[in-house]
Amino acid sequence: MSTSTPAHPGIAPAPPAAPVPAPVALAPPAATCASSSPAAPRRSRPPGRDGKITGQPAFVLHSYPHKETSLIVDVFTREYGRIALVAKGAKRPHSQLRGVLQTFQPLQAGWTGKSELRILTGAEWVGGMLPLEKTALLCGFYLNELLVKLLARDDPHPVLFDHYVATLNQLAHNEPPPIVLRKFERALLKETGVAADLTRCTGTRQAVDAGQVYVVDPERGPRPARASDAWPRITGKTLLDMEREDYLDVATQAQSKLLMRFLLAHQLGGGTLNTRQILIDLMQL
């Protein structure tokens, strides 16, 4: 299978269950830090009769118990964004949902209701993607934690959804995790409207010079570095490489890692990412 697998391939029989590492616990979503960058416009959503939706491409980001036999499932959908669904009876031993509501499995989901907490009416496994294993699996949990903490509920991001699917495919095919993660982090900031243009200096709007050293103001964008700056110092070449999604240069990989960690920390308002710390401890991603 290639990494160009569509976001919602045809339905195929579910594969036999295989043991996977225990999911990394996600902390409750934190409020996204306010930014002076223009907010991304809310996209239109397909109408649903009486609040009923069926056949929506989706992925489970996180789930937690609800009452005795149910789950609340945080789902990332293509046309409706991140939503919360009550999966009634999903914890029962013979529930058909037990083996379906798993992370990193492409689903077609349906639900009903118009409140913040909707009712899951059905979910089917959709074939066409390799499972994540080892380091790729940890990277997948990191992507999910980013989405849970930085995406507002009910804000559609179809372009980001497609990027998420492509990123899972790249990780499953053992493409270099540091490069794959940097591209996704940048796409996430762009789609949520808080990513500055890395090719122009803030204020002057002069083109970034590959031979100069800059810092990136999280609220405004790049500017020439000063001796007193405590922010990460980044070369103009790295900024231009990031805008082109060119991470072949080792220096670009190292500097972009520091920069994205800094920018994401700002958007999290000082909050921490559990999976990021695990990845840092294991392999400095």
Side-chain angles (χ1 to χ4, degrees):
M1 184 197 69
S2 69
T3 58
S4 60
T5 303
H8 42 85
I11 297 175
V20 298
V24 178
L26 300 185
T32 302
C33 182
S35 170
S36 61
S37 303
R42 294 182 65 89
R43 298 164 174 84
S44 61
R45 302 185 300 178
R49 177 179 295 178
D50 299 328
K52 295 181 180 178
I53 304 297
T54 60
Q56 178 67 202
F59 283 85
V60 171
L61 298 177
H62 181 45
S63 62
Y64 48 95
H66 178 64
K67 298 183 178 179
E68 292 185 2
T69 62
S70 302
L71 294 172
I72 292 180
V73 187
D74 211 334
V75 175
F76 186 30
T77 70
R78 191 176 193 279
E79 301 296 337
Y80 290 79
R82 186 172 72 88
I83 61 175
L85 301 174
V86 177
K88 292 185 176 181
K91 292 169 59 180
R92 290 175 178 155
H94 301 293
S95 171
Q96 294 182 347
L97 294 174
R98 282 175 65 91
V100 176
L101 297 177
Q102 303 295 323
T103 51
F104 317 122
Q105 290 191 14
L107 305 176
Q108 285 189 344
W111 62 87
T112 185
K114 297 181 179 180
S115 64
E116 183 176 354
L117 194 59
R118 300 165 175 86
I119 304 300
L120 180 70
T121 56
E124 294 180 281
W125 180 83
V126 179
M129 293 182 67
L130 293 176
L132 299 184
E133 300 177 343
K134 300 179 180 178
T135 300
L137 184 60
L138 281 175
C139 290
F141 284 123
Y142 170 66
L143 299 180
N144 284 7
E145 190 173 7
L146 281 177
L147 293 174
V148 167
K149 290 190 173 181
L150 293 179
L151 284 189
R153 287 249 173 92
D154 298 305
D155 192 5
H157 291 283
V159 173
L160 184 62
F161 182 93
D162 292 344
H163 202 118
Y164 176 78
V165 175
T167 301
L168 294 182
N169 273 315
Q170 290 162 7
L171 291 171
H173 283 83
N174 298 315
E175 294 193 21
I179 296 177
V180 173
L181 295 183
R182 294 302 86 76
K183 290 180 179 179
F184 183 82
E185 290 164 347
R186 179 74 177 150
L188 174 59
L189 295 186
K190 283 184 176 180
E191 283 300 306
T192 52
V194 295
D197 180 359
L198 298 181
T199 68
R200 295 280 173 184
C201 291
T202 180
T204 66
R205 302 308 297 165
Q206 292 181 344
V208 165
D209 184 340
Q212 298 298 316
V213 178
Y214 298 86
V215 296
V216 178
D217 185 325
E219 300 288 338
R220 297 174 179 84
R223 64 165 173 77
R226 304 167 186 152
S228 59
D229 283 326
W231 294 342
R233 300 169 72 88
I234 310 296
T235 65
K237 179 183 182 303
T238 290
L239 297 178
L240 296 174
D241 284 348
M242 291 177 67
E243 200 67 41
R244 294 190 296 261
E245 294 194 342
D246 179 0
Y247 292 87
L248 295 180
D249 190 308
V250 175
T252 296
Q253 293 181 29
Q255 292 183 10
S256 65
K257 176 180 67 176
L258 293 176
L259 177 59
M260 293 311 303
R261 191 180 302 173
F262 168 70
L263 295 178
L264 288 170
H266 176 78
Q267 295 304 321
L268 289 166
T272 60
L273 291 167
N274 299 332
T275 44
R276 162 61 87 179
Q277 189 57 51
I278 293 173
L279 289 169
I280 290 173
D281 293 342
L282 288 178
M283 52 189 309
Q284 295 295 308
L285 288 177

